[in-house]
Amino acid sequence: MKDQKLEKKARRGHKESQYQLGLKYLQGEGYIQDVNIAEKWFKKAAKKKHGGAYFETAVLKLNQEAHDTASTLFQKSVKYKFPKGYKML
């Protein structure tokens, strides 16, 4: 269930509310899970120097990089005929 009070505070620029709303979107707590919306709220809070928001944004970026790297490695495993690589693509 959406938290109208939290959303209102976040839209008004309250950095802790922006961070908390980002977590709710990230985890799908009362909201449809959406990493892009979560990142948007984390970035807003990070601009206001919220340490947790910086951390969560960093984790998202790391995960995005890890996925790109994993995809490349799976493709290479297929190129070199490793059977399990086919299952991952």
Side-chain angles (χ1 to χ4, degrees):
M1 178 168 220
K2 289 189 175 187
D3 187 336
Q4 301 295 332
K5 190 174 184 179
L6 179 66
E7 287 183 34
K8 187 175 182 178
K9 287 175 79 174
R11 284 192 302 272
R12 288 187 177 172
H14 185 257
K15 70 180 178 182
E16 182 63 25
S17 297
Q18 292 170 333
Y19 170 69
Q20 292 298 325
L21 190 54
L23 287 176
K24 288 187 179 290
Y25 274 104
L26 183 65
Q27 298 164 355
E29 260 182 45
Y31 293 81
I32 294 173
Q33 189 174 24
D34 190 321
V35 175
N36 293 322
I37 294 174
E39 185 175 7
K40 178 187 97 167
W41 285 111
F42 291 145
K43 284 181 176 180
K44 287 178 181 278
K47 284 182 184 177
K48 295 181 172 101
K49 300 180 180 9
H50 190 287
Y54 279 115
F55 175 82
E56 294 297 339
T57 303
V59 169
L60 289 174
K61 293 298 182 188
L62 177 63
N63 287 338
Q64 291 166 359
E65 180 60 32
H67 290 165
D68 291 343
T69 302
S71 177
T72 300
L73 295 172
F74 287 136
Q75 289 173 9
K76 285 183 179 182
S77 73
V78 168
K79 179 180 177 181
Y80 295 107
K81 312 230 186 304
F82 187 74
K84 290 183 180 178
Y86 290 99
K87 293 178 183 179
M88 301 306 291
L89 290 177

